[in-house]
């Protein structure tokens, strides 16, 4: 058996084999340069065109181009007309913004544990978390796998809840052949560096509801009702932030959007190949794609089966050692989130705005943030590792096959990992 790279052997994945994300081509250069040579550098013609093109691509009536996915999420809370102190349901495991956006609108996050197989909110546990103060639910299509929207919409209708989709990782992902961001009342996308559509930073708010569109737009730009380019009256009608994007960024985003379907297809082909290569690897729990779901494979997230690996110690220690062994082979695996949301200080301190707000300055029922109440999210968090770039265009069969070789090499020798020694090694 080949000696593991972490034990001094040869790397499975040669340097520079995996191409960086995102690919930059002639169209990116053309559109960005044209924007630079233009004269509208703030919210200009590319921003307006990007909104139109993205709305058409995703199948939404309205889109607002923002400077981040987090901004688009905050706008979603305002668009839903939520009030200070309202309870909003959200998954216990995601990026922090999926829940801090609730605080941004002075509402109170109520967490729901995840389903281990899909890593998404456990739809069977949603109803138990509903209180008399619950007004909305944020569903996060995590890692590019859609939440079971039939179940979510059924519960939402029954309890009169508004539905916000955090689609920041899920561009192009489908549920029953329909794109995410078209199920809920409104949705947020991110165009940050690592996302499936990258414009450096950036985001998009989408909705089909004209009233929500207006409310989101006010919060987006100083509380005004008219966007730049229209006859502004420079009057703040509502509480507003400054969440607009710039023309250069939108030019980059438009060029990437033109290739998004090709990116999506490539990611799906690469993920299918990797899944086929790794199927049956002892100790490795592979990601799933349940019937009716079309994954975009934003993040290929696996878990380590600790009992199969014969590990009885602290889960994170074994996972971290395996990850270091994979990285030594040249596999760009990483821990994505090492804390579940209820364990984050911003929630546990219950003092986002000072004076205990929003938790104790409103008449509200106490909410539970004890991490022990979210055992499935904890278990996932402690044993997972993810991977993005090798599955992204222009990487193909050659990159995926070498990555698979790296995985198989490490997982065939889990018993040869000296966990204590690996964890004591300095970062190179
Ligand atoms: C990236 C991300 C966000 C935030 O997007 P930004 O553009 O970085 O603000 C929100 N939710 C999820 C699930 C994300 O992955």
């Amino acid at each position: 058996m080949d000696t593991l790279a972490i034990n001094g052997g040869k790397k499975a994945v040669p340097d520079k084999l995996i191409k960086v994300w995102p690919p930059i081509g002639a169209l990116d250069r053309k559109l960005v340069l044209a924007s630079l040579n233009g004269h509208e550098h703030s919210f200009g013609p590319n921003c307006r065109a990007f909104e139109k093109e993205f709305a058409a691509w995703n199948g939404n009536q309205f889109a607002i181009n923002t400077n981040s996915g987090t901004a688009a999420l905050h706008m979603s809370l305002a668009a839903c007309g939520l009030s200070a102190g309202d309870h909003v349901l959200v998954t216990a495991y995601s990026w922090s913004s999926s829940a801090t956006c609730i605080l941004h609108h002075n509402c109170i996050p109520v967490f729901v544990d995840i389903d281990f197989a899909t890593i998404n909110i456990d739809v069977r546990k949603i109803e138990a978390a509903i209180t008399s103060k619950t007004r909305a639910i944020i569903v996060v299509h995590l890692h590019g796998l859609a939440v079971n929207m039939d179940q979510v919409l059924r519960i939402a209708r029954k309890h009169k809840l508004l539905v916000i989709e955090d689609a920041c990782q899920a561009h192009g992902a489908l549920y029953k052949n329909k794109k995410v961001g078209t199920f809920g009342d409104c949705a947020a996308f991110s165009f940050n560096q690592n996302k499936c559509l990258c414009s450096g930073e950036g985001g998009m708010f989408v909705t089909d509801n004209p009233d929500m569109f207006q409310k989101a737009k006010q919060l987006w730009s100083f509380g005004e009702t008219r966007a730049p380019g229209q006859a502004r009256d420079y009057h703040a009608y509502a509480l507003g932030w400054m969440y607009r994007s710039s023309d250069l960024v939108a030019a980059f985003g438009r060029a990437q959007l033109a290739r998004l379907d090709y990116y999506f297809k490539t990611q799906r082909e690469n993920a299918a190949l990797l899944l086929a290569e790794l199927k049956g690897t002892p100790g490795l729990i592979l990601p799933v794609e349940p019937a009716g779901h079309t994954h975009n494979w934003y993040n290929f997230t696996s878990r380590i089966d600790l009992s199969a690996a014969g590990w009885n110690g602290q889960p994170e220690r074994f996972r971290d050692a395996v990850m270091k062994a994979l990285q030594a082979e040249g596999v760009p695996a990483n821990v994505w989130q090492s804390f579940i949301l209820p364990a984050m200080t911003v929630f546990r301190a219950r003092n986002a705005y000072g004076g205990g707000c929003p938790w104790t300055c409103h008449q509200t029922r106490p909410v539970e943030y004890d991490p022990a109440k979210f055992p499935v999210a904890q278990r996932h968090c402690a044993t997972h590792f993810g991977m993005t770039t090798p599955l992204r265009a222009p990487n193909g069969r050659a990159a995926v096959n070498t990555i698979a070789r790296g995985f198989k090499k490490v997982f065939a020798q889990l018993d040869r990992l000296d966990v204590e020694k690996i964890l004591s090694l300095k970062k190179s």
Side-chain angles (χ1 to χ4, degrees), residues 56-376:
W57 178 83
N58 203 55
N60 296 105
Q61 289 282 317
F62 306 104
I64 304 175
N65 188 199
T66 66
N67 49 26
S68 72
T70 304
L73 281 169
H74 181 192
M75 286 157 60
S76 301
L77 275 283
C80 284
L82 303 185
S83 304
D86 284 345
H87 287 189
V88 179
L89 303 178
V90 67
T91 175
Y93 183 79
S94 181
W95 186 248
S96 58
S97 315
S98 305
T100 51
C101 66
I102 301 169
L103 299 181
H104 292 155
H105 203 60
N106 226 330
C107 297
I108 297 172
V110 176
F111 296 106
V112 179
D113 205 357
I114 65 165
D115 164 55
F116 190 77
T118 60
I119 324 175
N120 276 326
I121 192 167
D122 189 337
V123 289
R124 295 161 302 187
K125 292 181 181 157
I126 293 174
E127 285 195 279
I130 295 173
T131 69
S132 55
K133 297 284 281 180
T134 309
R135 295 275 315 279
I137 173 165
I138 298 178
V139 290
V140 186
H141 307 299
L142 202 71
H143 303 327
L145 180 69
V147 172
N148 182 325
M149 291 311 292
D150 281 349
Q151 291 300 328
V152 169
L153 295 174
R154 183 186 61 78
I155 297 165
R157 266 193 296 273
K158 183 170 157 197
H159 297 274
K160 298 194 165 50
L161 304 180
L162 292 152
V163 177
I164 295 166
E165 291 177 75
D166 178 345
C168 286
Q169 302 185 350
H171 321 63
L174 310 175
Y175 178 69
K176 297 195 170 167
N177 288 321
K178 195 166 172 286
K179 276 184 178 155
V180 299
T182 59
F183 292 92
D185 293 282
C186 52
F189 288 86
S190 167
F191 307 142
N192 165 261
Q193 165 80 50
N194 200 34
K195 303 295 158 85
C196 299
L197 195 167
C198 162
S199 67
E201 302 285 3
M204 199 73 83
F205 165 91
V206 296
T207 185
D208 292 339
N209 180 318
D211 179 53
M212 289 194 179
F213 173 58
Q214 278 312 322
K215 285 200 176 97
K217 209 160 147 184
Q218 284 188 345
L219 186 141
W220 170 71
S221 182
F222 307 115
E224 295 178 39
T225 52
R226 296 169 212 182
Q230 299 175 307
R232 290 168 77 182
D233 59 357
Y234 303 101
H235 182 98
Y237 291 89
L239 190 54
W241 273 255
M242 206 325 239
Y243 284 164
R244 291 174 349 217
S245 187
S246 84
D247 201 70
L248 273 172
V249 168
F252 184 13
R254 289 181 70 200
Q256 291 289 316
L257 176 61
R259 289 201 297 277
L260 194 47
D261 288 331
Y262 150 69
Y263 290 161
F264 180 62
K265 189 168 161 281
T266 306
Q267 277 164 220
R268 285 194 53 77
E269 285 167 4
N270 288 343
L273 187 60
L274 187 58
L275 282 170
E277 283 286 328
L278 296 179
K279 201 171 163 209
T281 304
L284 181 62
I285 302 172
L286 290 168
V288 296
E289 186 180 46
H293 295 250
T294 307
H295 214 307
N296 78 355
W297 298 107
Y298 162 75
N299 190 321
F300 190 94
T301 297
S302 308
R303 275 76 62 83
I304 299 167
D305 184 342
L306 298 176
S307 51
W311 176 259
N312 304 311
Q314 207 188 335
E316 289 90 343
R317 293 185 72 74
F318 193 71
R319 184 270 316 273
D320 290 350
V322 171
M323 210 182 48
K324 285 208 156 63
L326 285 167
Q327 289 169 347
E329 297 297 338
V331 175
N334 267 304
V335 171
W336 180 67
Q337 269 289 19
S338 48
F339 294 94
I340 67 168
L341 292 174
M344 289 192 183
T345 308
V346 60
F347 307 110
R348 300 185 65 72
R350 293 172 193 257
N351 197 24
Y353 284 97
C357 270
W359 287 274
T360 53
C361 61
H362 303 293
Q363 288 286 329
T364 183
R365 294 226 229 140
V367 292
E368 183 69 73
Y369 293 155
D370 177 1
K373 295 286 198 295
F374 308 93
V376 186

